[in-house]
Amino acid sequence: MTALRRSWIDSANSPDTDFPLNNLPYGVFSTEDSAPRCGVAIGDQIVDVKGLEEAGILTSGEPPVFSKPSWNAFMELGPEAWNGFRGALMALLAEKTGLKERVKPYLVPMAEARMHMPFEVSEYTDFYAGKNHAVNVGTMFRGPENALPPNWLHIPIGYNGRASSVVVSGTDVRRPWGQLKAPDMEAPVFAPCKRFDLELEMGAIVGVPSSGPITVQEADDMIFGYVLLNDWSARDIQAWEYQPLGPFQAKATATTISPWIVTKAALEPFRTSTPEREKELLPYLQEPTPMLYDITLEVTLAPDGKEASTIARTNYSQMYYSAAQQLAHHTTSGCPMRVGDLLGSGTISGPTKAERGSLLELSWGGKEPLTLESGETRNFLEDGDTLTLAGAAKGDGVRVGFGVCAGKVLPALDDPFKR
Amino acid sequence: MTALRRSWIDSANSPDTDFPLNNLPYGVFSTEDSAPRCGVAIGDQIVDVKGLEEAGILTSGEPPVFSKPSWNAFMELGPEAWNGFRGALMALLAEKTGLKERVKPYLVPMAEARMHMPFEVSEYTDFYAGKNHAVNVGTMFRGPENALPPNWLHIPIGYNGRASSVVVSGTDVRRPWGQLKAPDMEAPVFAPCKRFDLELEMGAIVGVPSSGPITVQEADDMIFGYVLLNDWSARDIQAWEYQPLGPFQAKATATTISPWIVTKAALEPFRTSTPEREKELLPYLQEPTPMLYDITLEVTLAPDGKEASTIARTNYSQMYYSAAQQLAHHTTSGCPMRVGDLLGSGTISGPTKAERGSLLELSWGGKEPLTLESGETRNFLEDGDTLTLAGAAKGDGVRVGFGVCAGKVLPALDDPFKR
């Protein structure tokens, strides 16, 4: 099992930190005194890598890659540079280093930093690749006999989402308006969403571009890292709009990601295989090696001003398709992929009720309200609710964590067209 | 009716040119001697506006907006600057100008230029907003009684497409591979698409960003201009993949646009209303003034090395929803729109067979092959076929044209994973 790598930064050696030396995830932060810039999390500190680059302590490219507050330029350098940089950074921060005093001035306490989007999202694709989720939703909508669409065991089903709506953890999310029509209504109305929901997902970030179909192995090599992802969903808008061309405005209000990109390198020890295939996949989708990860995940819901309740616990290894398989399928038709493309895994639900990654499933379409620690019940999200996703891969006294992915639901605007 | 505005460039005064002084569309061109740069079409010439900006003859912004080969920076300046620039350009190119000799050195014959993407596509959304097309496709798939989905007369149905796959006219399009499964097959296969098709559309370009729901009038004000758009479609891939989340790889091979952005200002005299509503729209979708355009459109198909046949003639005014209505709907859930967003109208088909904007409709799903001038027949596209869209708004002895939007179908790769 993976063991802790010790750092001279004490807080990084705690078994409880999400950010030991083993992790070193990439983000963008600002402080009262400094504009947004690239940083790396270590224990309760952030290493200002823009500062390290400017001081010549760490160099990654010429021209400098950290001049902008985004990791896209660094991703453009490609996997060899990613590995070189990670190795150099790890050496600087390891317990036995001669450079401690030179690095110290570039540490910023995490508590004083505000986090920003860690990269520019080129395009955002969302998948529907968790089997328990697909079966749950399909059962509710079409009955247990037709729960899975006929293509589901052959294709990692996906659709294009809206990159402009991706926001970083901590951003408030406004309950949307939309066209709603319950089956018993004669005509639709334009009104605030009544069934606003979360979706617990992981996001994979493409770091290498492609211009034609790629294999699953090539796809895995193209992935830069992973984030937690909450794909906020307006279930009532979706029910009325989604036939025949799929979800559109129901998924366009916001998608929240965690601020730290956990690199594929950091997750390497936690690889695991996708579950056994129920139908053999076409060769182009078969995994040559394990490409999922063992990452425990949990969701908490805190009503406004009240204590948080854990509403779901599950694991990324529940996915039927890995991000590499999704990415390979994404390119089959020749679709060009670009640095900064974000792929949502699809909602991650385990086999039991307590492992379901959406309120739609947890409350079974609003029929079985969930009781929170505060005694309140929930079918869907209420105004003021704060949703928080957390996740970590766990080794022997070490966790490679993602931090949190949080967002608070604000009430809908009274008049959405008033300026 | 709109009359010709005369220019000192003779070719711009011909009743047959797409590019009279009335038009002045925006593109990006290169020549053997110069890298890609912004230009404006006038008759059979292109005005090098980067050159005009550098020479101080035309100024639009500080810093200069034409330093990059894209119209995005210009769009960012907003509608007042758009109008000012167009007015200044029109004065320079009008018959009675004192600046003819200063402008002349910046004219480049169109015949010597190669065209590039005129703007960076931020995100691409495709709609399904032509009623004849929706009825035709719905009738084929679900029968005449259920041709239109229940939401169709209430919502401009749209889905997110793939911006990375948008290419400029003249780019070859490779027949894609994909998962195919005909109803009589037991399992899917991975094979080249057999039902490759075109979709005749118009594209609207967003030139002003937004951050919350907007009205139809505000949406119209945000549109910078229009292009012709061919949304290449793999019908067999689509049939197997599209349930339940919509088209994905079927639409990701390529979308071709014409190289010249015809501005909303140039199209102003050709405004027309959307057709009579069959069901009253919700107030947020109602058009305060006419927001469609009277633009005649045609599609030709030329088999490899053979003469071209016109396979469809129709008009943009056939759309049930305008781009402004589509854009307003796009923002209802709070979805942020950005400069460079591209909105495909959806396939434009008129009421008669000769007016259908896709081979799916023209050959009625492959059951009624189309006979070309060359004597060949077509159900779907064959390798080597060149598809060309053309379109123009027509006044009194003047046409405000779009040039052409062309692409040739290349055969599928033998082995899509071979490097």
Side-chain angles (χ1 to χ4, degrees):
Chain A
M1 240 182 151
T2 305
L4 180 75
R5 296 179 180 212
R6 296 189 66 85
S7 167
W8 53 265
I9 297 165
D10 284 344
S11 60
N13 300 326
S14 157
D16 299 326
T17 184
D18 270 355
F19 310 121
L21 186 61
N22 307 54
N23 193 349
L24 300 182
Y26 302 150
V28 169
F29 73 102
S30 63
T31 63
E32 281 206 357
D33 306 322
S34 72
R37 54 179 59 203
C38 290
V40 176
I42 173 95
D44 60 7
Q45 304 290 308
I46 301 173
V47 187
D48 174 357
V49 293
K50 180 172 191 262
L52 289 183
E53 184 180 64
E54 284 169 358
I57 301 170
L58 261 182
T59 52
S60 284
E62 194 62 50
V65 290
F66 298 123
S67 55
K68 284 189 188 169
S70 141
W71 284 82
N72 293 60
F74 177 77
M75 288 194 261
E76 298 271 3
L77 298 177
E80 273 190 47
W82 307 346
N83 289 337
F85 177 80
R86 179 174 163 83
L89 198 61
M90 208 168 259
L92 284 181
L93 299 170
E95 202 162 38
K96 290 174 185 161
T97 176
L99 290 164
K100 186 170 155 179
E101 295 308 319
R102 286 199 68 191
V103 173
K104 263 191 178 169
Y106 299 98
L107 292 182
V108 175
M110 214 172 261
E112 292 172 15
R114 186 181 153 208
M115 300 306 297
H116 303 267
M117 277 291 292
F119 69 107
E120 292 149 35
V121 181
S122 299
E123 296 194 63
Y124 167 46
T125 309
D126 194 29
F127 286 86
Y128 185 62
K131 183 158 173 253
N132 298 306
H133 171 72
V135 167
N136 287 339
V137 172
T139 302
M140 273 182 257
F141 291 167
R142 291 179 295 270
E145 301 76 22
N146 302 306
L148 279 188
N151 51 20
W152 201 93
L153 294 170
H154 301 279
I155 297 180
I157 296 290
Y159 65 98
N160 299 299
R162 183 77 195 175
S164 67
S165 70
V166 180
V167 297
V168 73
S169 177
T171 308
D172 291 336
V173 174
R174 173 85 56 195
R175 179 184 298 275
W177 283 66
Q179 269 203 34
L180 313 177
K181 185 184 165 300
D184 59 348
M185 289 163 60
E186 202 166 298
V189 295
F190 188 62
C193 165
K194 288 174 188 62
R195 293 161 75 96
F196 200 45
D197 200 358
L198 78 142
E199 289 195 329
L200 165 64
E201 303 193 21
M202 297 288 299
I205 300 160
V206 175
V208 176
S210 67
S211 61
I214 56 168
T215 65
V216 174
Q217 182 61 58
E218 288 168 333
D220 192 63
D221 294 342
M222 283 166 59
I223 294 171
F224 179 67
Y226 291 83
V227 288
L228 302 170
L229 186 150
N230 178 0
D231 194 44
W232 304 89
S233 298
R235 303 296 181 194
D236 41 6
I237 297 174
Q238 186 173 351
W240 171 233
E241 79 174 0
Y242 91 107
Q243 286 288 9
L245 300 185
F248 184 49
Q249 288 306 287
K251 300 282 195 166
T253 302
T255 294
T256 305
I257 63 169
S258 52
W260 295 109
I261 305 171
V262 176
T263 62
K264 197 172 48 182
L267 292 170
E268 205 57 46
F270 307 99
R271 280 188 184 255
T272 182
S273 295
T274 43
E276 203 179 330
R277 300 294 97 180
E278 298 181 29
K279 288 198 177 163
E280 194 183 358
L281 289 176
L282 285 164
Y284 83 92
L285 277 174
Q286 292 176 12
E287 280 185 332
T289 56
M291 288 176 181
L292 265 186
Y293 299 95
D294 179 359
I295 299 170
T296 59
L297 298 165
E298 66 166 46
V299 183
T300 62
L301 190 163
D304 207 3
K306 301 204 174 126
E307 67 182 312
S309 303
T310 298
I311 61 171
R313 287 182 217 270
T314 185
N315 194 298
Y316 182 46
S317 62
Q318 291 290 341
M319 297 306 300
Y320 193 78
Y321 295 100
S322 66
Q325 287 172 314
Q326 294 172 339
L327 179 52
H329 180 71
H330 206 320
T331 67
T332 47
S333 71
C335 180
M337 302 305 295
R338 297 184 291 195
V339 171
D341 282 338
L342 174 65
L343 273 54
S345 60
T347 306
I348 307 165
S349 292
T352 69
K353 186 164 179 175
E355 295 171 84
R356 295 176 186 162
S358 69
L359 282 170
L360 177 68
E361 295 163 86
L362 287 163
S363 74
W364 207 252
K367 289 183 189 149
E368 303 171 13
L370 204 67
T371 302
L372 306 178
E373 302 285 344
S374 62
E376 293 180 50
T377 60
R378 285 291 180 278
N379 283 318
F380 291 96
L381 295 169
E382 304 276 341
D383 295 342
D385 285 354
T386 296
L387 249 297
T388 305
L389 318 184
K394 294 172 187 169
D396 185 15
V398 59
R399 35 188 293 146
V400 171
F402 285 77
V404 298
C405 174
K408 182 175 182 171
V409 179
L410 300 186
L413 294 168
D414 286 338
D415 174 356
F417 300 106
K418 197 175 162 189
R419 294 290 173 268
Chain B
M1 239 184 152
T2 306
L4 180 76
R5 295 179 179 212
R6 296 189 67 84
S7 166
W8 52 265
I9 297 164
D10 284 343
S11 60
N13 301 325
S14 157
D16 299 326
T17 184
D18 270 355
F19 308 122
L21 186 59
N22 307 54
N23 193 349
L24 301 182
Y26 302 150
V28 169
F29 73 101
S30 63
T31 64
E32 283 206 354
D33 307 321
S34 74
R37 53 179 58 202
C38 290
V40 177
I42 174 98
D44 60 7
Q45 304 290 307
I46 300 174
V47 187
D48 173 357
V49 293
K50 179 172 191 261
L52 288 184
E53 184 181 63
E54 284 168 359
I57 301 169
L58 261 182
T59 53
S60 285
E62 194 62 51
V65 291
F66 298 123
S67 55
K68 284 189 188 168
S70 140
W71 284 82
N72 294 59
F74 177 77
M75 287 194 263
E76 298 271 3
L77 298 177
E80 272 190 47
W82 305 347
N83 288 338
F85 177 78
R86 179 174 163 84
L89 198 63
M90 209 169 259
L92 285 181
L93 298 169
E95 202 162 39
K96 289 174 186 162
T97 177
L99 291 163
K100 185 171 158 179
E101 294 309 318
R102 286 198 68 191
V103 174
K104 263 190 178 170
Y106 299 98
L107 292 181
V108 175
M110 214 173 262
E112 292 172 15
R114 185 180 153 208
M115 300 306 298
H116 304 267
M117 277 292 291
F119 69 108
E120 292 149 35
V121 182
S122 298
E123 296 193 64
Y124 166 47
T125 309
D126 194 28
F127 286 85
Y128 184 63
K131 184 161 171 248
N132 297 306
H133 171 72
V135 167
N136 286 339
V137 172
T139 301
M140 272 182 257
F141 291 167
R142 291 179 294 271
E145 301 76 21
N146 303 305
L148 280 188
N151 52 18
W152 202 92
L153 294 170
H154 301 279
I155 298 180
I157 297 292
Y159 65 100
N160 299 299
R162 182 78 195 174
S164 67
S165 70
V166 180
V167 297
V168 73
S169 177
T171 308
D172 292 336
V173 174
R174 174 84 58 192
R175 179 184 297 275
W177 284 67
Q179 270 205 33
L180 313 177
K181 183 184 167 301
D184 60 348
M185 288 163 61
E186 202 167 301
V189 294
F190 188 62
C193 165
K194 289 173 187 62
R195 293 161 75 96
F196 201 46
D197 200 358
L198 79 142
E199 290 196 328
L200 166 63
E201 303 192 22
M202 296 289 298
I205 300 159
V206 175
V208 176
S210 67
S211 61
I214 56 168
T215 65
V216 174
Q217 181 62 57
E218 287 168 333
D220 192 62
D221 293 343
M222 283 166 59
I223 295 171
F224 179 66
Y226 291 83
V227 290
L228 302 170
L229 185 151
N230 179 359
D231 194 44
W232 303 89
S233 298
R235 302 296 180 193
D236 40 6
I237 297 174
Q238 186 173 352
W240 171 233
E241 78 173 358
Y242 92 108
Q243 286 290 7
L245 299 186
F248 183 50
Q249 289 306 288
K251 301 282 196 167
T253 302
T255 294
T256 304
I257 63 169
S258 51
W260 295 109
I261 304 171
V262 176
T263 62
K264 197 171 48 181
L267 292 170
E268 205 57 47
F270 306 100
R271 280 188 183 255
T272 182
S273 294
T274 44
E276 202 179 330
R277 301 293 97 178
E278 297 180 31
K279 288 197 178 166
E280 194 183 0
L281 289 176
L282 283 164
Y284 84 91
L285 278 173
Q286 292 176 13
E287 279 186 330
T289 57
M291 288 176 180
L292 265 186
Y293 298 94
D294 178 0
I295 298 170
T296 60
L297 299 164
E298 67 166 46
V299 183
T300 63
L301 190 164
D304 207 3
K306 301 206 174 126
E307 66 181 312
S309 302
T310 299
I311 60 170
R313 286 182 217 271
T314 184
N315 194 298
Y316 183 46
S317 63
Q318 291 290 341
M319 298 307 299
Y320 193 77
Y321 295 100
S322 65
Q325 287 173 313
Q326 294 172 338
L327 178 52
H329 180 71
H330 207 318
T331 66
T332 47
S333 71
C335 180
M337 303 303 297
R338 297 184 293 195
V339 171
D341 282 337
L342 173 65
L343 273 55
S345 60
T347 306
I348 307 165
S349 291
T352 70
K353 185 164 179 175
E355 295 169 86
R356 296 175 186 162
S358 69
L359 281 169
L360 177 68
E361 294 164 86
L362 287 163
S363 75
W364 207 251
K367 289 183 190 150
E368 301 171 15
L370 204 68
T371 303
L372 306 177
E373 301 285 344
S374 62
E376 294 180 49
T377 60
R378 285 291 179 279
N379 283 318
F380 292 96
L381 295 169
E382 304 277 341
D383 294 343
D385 285 354
T386 296
L387 250 296
T388 305
L389 318 184
K394 294 172 187 170
D396 184 16
V398 59
R399 35 188 295 146
V400 171
F402 285 77
V404 298
C405 174
K408 183 175 181 172
V409 179
L410 300 185
L413 294 168
D414 287 339
D415 174 356
F417 301 107
K418 198 174 159 190
R419 295 287 174 271

